[in-house]
Amino acid sequence: MLRGFILGVHVLLAFMIVGLVLLQRGKGAEAGAGFGSGASGTVFGARGTSTLFSRLTAVFAALFFATSLTLAYVGTRSAAEPTTVLERAAQSAATAVPAPTQPGAPQGAAAPAAPAAAPAPEAPPPTPSKTP
């Protein structure tokens, strides 16, 4: 619920930033008219005051950064308990895995343990050899 709300605000902020950037005038917008009238210093120089659009862009960029960090934090945090019926069913199915059964065994009977390996035969005792 919270993640969806933050994601919605995040996308809305992204669209607002794009819109505000496209609405702003660039520094070189008056370059053609400014060269002959002595106003070229204002075209290529620093801007004295920031406009409403540039201030809103800065505010929206800061909020976009904050929602990005919040989404990263919420996305990496593990959920304590399942919240939906499907998550609960998947969790209960994972914890209640039945033991395998052999074919022909009655239902619910567990498979018998594997037979132990047969011991290796012992070597015959050495026979004394007779030398003539």
Side-chain angles (χ1 to χ4, degrees):
M1 175 71 184
L2 177 67
R3 188 182 313 171
F5 175 74
I6 295 172
L7 185 62
V9 170
H10 188 72
V11 170
L12 183 66
L13 285 170
F15 284 130
M16 293 298 291
I17 290 171
V18 168
L20 284 172
V21 167
L22 290 176
L23 286 175
Q24 292 179 30
R25 279 172 47 171
K27 280 188 172 184
E30 300 124 11
F35 279 118
S37 62
S40 62
T42 61
V43 173
F44 297 109
R47 296 172 106 170
T49 61
S50 59
T51 63
L52 175 66
F53 284 160
S54 63
R55 287 182 186 169
L56 282 176
T57 304
V59 169
F60 287 159
L63 290 173
F64 184 83
F65 185 71
T67 56
S68 296
L69 291 176
T70 306
L71 283 171
Y73 174 73
V74 170
T76 57
R77 192 179 58 176
S78 64
E81 288 189 28
T83 57
T84 65
V85 175
L86 292 174
E87 289 175 354
R88 288 185 200 138
Q91 184 182 25
S92 65
T95 57
V97 175
T101 59
Q102 283 189 339
Q107 292 291 343
E122 293 183 22
T127 57
S129 64
K130 295 182 183 181
T131 53

